[in-house]
């Protein structure tokens, strides 16, 4: 019997459009001889809309943007709208058929542990990280504390709350300028895909960047900028994770720019060097830190670890992403392709890991015996 794979995408997040691109790519790579693919679209307003079972490849992304009606159909032309049926999240509950949820969601309300908690309550297997790893890794401030406890080197940073920024802006700026030197990077604590992130080279730009970041979150982290190579590594597994080859990001004009949302998803002129050359001892250190971070978060399934490597071989772990970009042209799948695991096989491996983790959890004793 085929495994029913519920593909959950969209969501109430600034990364809604990125999620659609991810879902489109995964669906078109699925082996429909092995999986029964059921799309569920979460609108920008948070409404859940169930589409029809998929019988083949999609022609365009807009086929996945369902509107809730009494009918369930997939648009066959770009001028049409896909239609679906408004549902409750409880529809995810398994109906006897082997069912796995693949949450293709990025950002808050999808990558932060909230929807993972729903899967846990429904006791249904799902691809990727659990509640703890998802929530801790989404919050850059909490994540940094976990890495610091593990002794993993990081760039200096200052965390700022919105209420403190409103009441003590001058004092906060003074503190940041004492701890950090320009340039700095200002980031919302709970977003990904470089949304809301700005580079500041002076006090005026810092204040502007803080204003921008606080549009997306009530907590912000300000990090020391470093001149370094940006090198990423994929981690895959559950209790015994393994690492991919390393890959390097080279945005156009890399000296002047950084890898922002536009460079990731719109410009299409960012070079990804996979595998990239790294001295053997540095490579081993990267693998060690990546696995330490994975285990420290109690991660499962997949994680992408992002490093900075300076000219004098100082290595810093910038962050990890528990639901990295997942199109065939995104760094994480490309890393595994170059490691020997192509895109379709990677999807199947992640589904297997989800089943494995779910079975292990259900084997635990959960009540006292008489």
């Amino acid at each position: 019997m085929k495994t029913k794979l519920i593909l959950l995408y969209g969501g109430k997040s600034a990364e809604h459009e990125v999620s659609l691109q991810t879902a489109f790519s995964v669906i078109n790579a699925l082996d429909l001889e092995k999986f029964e693919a059921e799309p569920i679209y979460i609108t920008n307003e948070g409404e859940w809309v169930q589409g029809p079972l998929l019988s083949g490849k999609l022609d365009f992304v807009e086929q996945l943007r369902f509107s809730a009606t009494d009918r369930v159909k997939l648009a066959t032309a770009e001028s049409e709208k896909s239609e679906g049926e408004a549902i409750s999240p409880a529809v995810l509950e398994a109906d006897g058929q082997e069912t796995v949820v693949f949450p293709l969601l990025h950002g808050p309300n999808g990558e932060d542990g909230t929807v993972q908690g729903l899967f846990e309550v429904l006791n249904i297997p799902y691809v990727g990280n659990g509640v703890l790893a998802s929530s801790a890794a989404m919050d850059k401030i909490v994540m940094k504390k976990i890495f610091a406890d593990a002794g993993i080197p990081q760039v200096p940073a200052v965390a700022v709350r919105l209420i403190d920024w409103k009441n003590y802006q001058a004092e906060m700026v003074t503190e940041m300028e004492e701890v950090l030197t320009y340039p700095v990077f200002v980031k919302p604590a709970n977003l990904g895909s470089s949304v809301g992130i700005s580079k500041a080279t002076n006090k005026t730009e810092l204040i502007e960047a803080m204003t921008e970041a606080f549009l997306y979150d009530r907590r912000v982290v300000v990090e020391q900028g470093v001149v370094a190579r940006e090198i990423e590594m994929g981690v895959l597994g559950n209790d015994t994770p393994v690492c991919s080859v390393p890959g390097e990001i080279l945005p156009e004009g890399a000296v002047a720019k950084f890898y922002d949302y536009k460079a990731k998803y719109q410009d299409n002129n960012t070079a990804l060097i996979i595998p990239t050359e790294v001295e053997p001892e540095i490579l081993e250190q990267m693998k060690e830190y990546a696995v330490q971070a994975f285990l420290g978060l109690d991660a499962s399934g997949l994680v992408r670890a992002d490093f900075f490597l300076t000219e004098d071989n100082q290595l810093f772990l910038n962050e990890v992403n528990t639901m990295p970009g997942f199109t065939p042209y995104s760094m994480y799948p490309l890393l595994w392709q170059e490691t020997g695991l192509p895109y379709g096989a990677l999807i199947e491996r992640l589904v297997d890991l989800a089943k494995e983790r779910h079975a292990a959890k259900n084997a635990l004793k959960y009540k006292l015996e008489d």
Side-chain angles (χ1 to χ4, degrees):
M1 180 182 291
K2 294 181 182 180
T3 298
K4 179 190 283 187
L5 194 60
I6 297 177
L7 301 149
L8 193 63
Y9 59 92
K12 291 179 66 177
S13 166
E15 298 177 72
H16 185 97
E17 299 302 320
V18 179
S19 176
L20 284 172
Q21 293 289 341
T22 297
F24 181 77
S25 298
V26 169
I27 287 167
N28 280 344
L30 283 177
D31 183 348
L32 296 181
E33 296 296 318
K34 298 179 180 179
F35 297 106
E36 183 179 281
E38 180 176 310
I40 296 181
Y41 172 54
I42 304 177
T43 69
N44 281 296
E45 293 71 37
E47 183 180 36
W48 291 47
V49 187
Q50 184 177 24
L53 293 177
L54 300 172
S55 58
K57 295 186 182 298
L58 302 178
D59 297 314
F60 43 92
V61 171
E62 289 303 309
Q63 288 178 297
L64 291 174
R65 202 187 301 271
F66 294 101
S67 60
T69 69
D70 293 330
R71 295 181 296 169
V72 177
K73 75 180 187 71
L74 198 65
T76 57
E78 290 193 69
S79 59
E80 297 178 356
K81 281 188 177 180
S82 290
E83 296 176 344
E85 180 182 357
I87 57 170
S88 162
V91 77
L92 295 175
E93 196 164 9
D95 55 5
Q97 182 179 5
E98 187 176 36
T99 301
V100 177
V101 178
F102 199 154
L104 303 167
L105 297 159
H106 300 286
N109 303 304
E111 192 181 345
D112 59 357
T114 50
V115 77
Q116 286 77 11
L118 171 64
F119 306 149
E120 294 288 350
V121 169
L122 294 174
N123 193 30
I124 186 170
Y126 58 95
V127 171
N129 288 276
V131 176
L132 175 64
S134 297
S135 58
M138 173 57 67
D139 191 307
K140 294 177 176 64
I141 296 170
V142 172
M143 177 174 57
K144 287 179 178 297
K145 291 180 179 179
I146 292 172
F147 294 167
D149 185 66
I152 300 173
Q154 306 170 78
V155 297
V158 175
V160 184
R161 299 187 306 162
L162 176 58
I163 189 170
D164 296 328
W165 181 251
K166 286 181 175 178
N167 294 330
Y168 308 105
Q169 178 175 310
E171 293 88 341
M172 298 299 296
V173 170
T174 298
E175 178 187 348
M176 284 185 271
E177 291 184 328
E178 288 176 351
V179 175
L180 310 172
T181 57
Y182 294 109
V184 297
F185 288 88
V186 181
K187 305 177 179 181
N190 283 279
L191 270 182
S193 296
S194 299
V195 174
I197 297 180
S198 303
K199 179 180 179 180
T201 60
N202 55 54
K203 182 183 294 187
T204 299
E205 291 180 358
L206 173 60
I207 293 171
E208 291 174 353
M210 296 293 288
T211 301
E212 172 72 11
F214 278 125
L215 294 175
Y216 297 95
D217 201 349
R218 48 178 284 276
R219 293 158 67 247
V220 164
V221 62
V222 184
E223 296 178 348
Q224 177 66 64
V226 292
V227 178
R229 298 167 63 189
E230 295 182 50
I231 301 176
E232 301 184 347
M233 181 173 285
V235 189
L236 181 68
N238 286 331
D239 293 333
T240 54
V242 294
C243 296
S244 71
V245 298
E248 185 168 1
I249 299 168
L250 286 177
E252 184 182 40
V255 173
K257 295 174 60 177
F258 70 97
Y259 193 39
D260 60 8
Y261 183 94
K262 189 168 182 284
K264 284 182 178 178
Y265 302 110
Q266 296 174 359
D267 287 346
N268 296 318
N269 56 11
T270 298
L272 303 180
I273 303 173
I274 308 171
T276 191
E277 291 187 9
V278 179
E279 293 181 10
E281 60 271 21
I282 297 296
L283 179 59
E284 289 307 308
Q285 190 69 76
M286 280 185 179
K287 290 180 178 179
E288 180 181 337
Y289 289 151
V291 169
Q292 281 182 349
F294 188 97
L295 298 177
L297 290 165
D298 193 28
S300 52
L302 72 166
V303 152
R304 192 193 70 224
D306 301 348
F307 292 94
F308 293 138
L309 180 62
T310 66
E311 288 186 354
D312 59 354
N313 281 338
Q314 289 187 77
L315 183 63
F316 301 102
L317 180 57
N318 179 32
E319 62 182 10
V320 301
N321 193 313
T322 57
M323 187 55 217
F326 209 83
T327 73
Y329 312 105
S330 300
M331 178 65 92
Y332 186 87
L334 289 174
L335 288 170
W336 283 107
Q337 178 176 300
E338 291 302 314
T339 308
L341 192 63
Y343 190 66
L346 175 60
I347 293 171
E348 293 181 20
R349 177 62 181 143
L350 287 169
V351 173
D352 288 341
L353 287 168
K355 294 177 182 178
E356 174 189 296
R357 181 189 57 191
H358 185 255
K361 185 169 185 178
N362 278 351
L364 296 174
K365 186 174 179 179
Y366 68 94
K367 66 179 180 179
L368 296 177
E369 296 178 354
D370 295 333

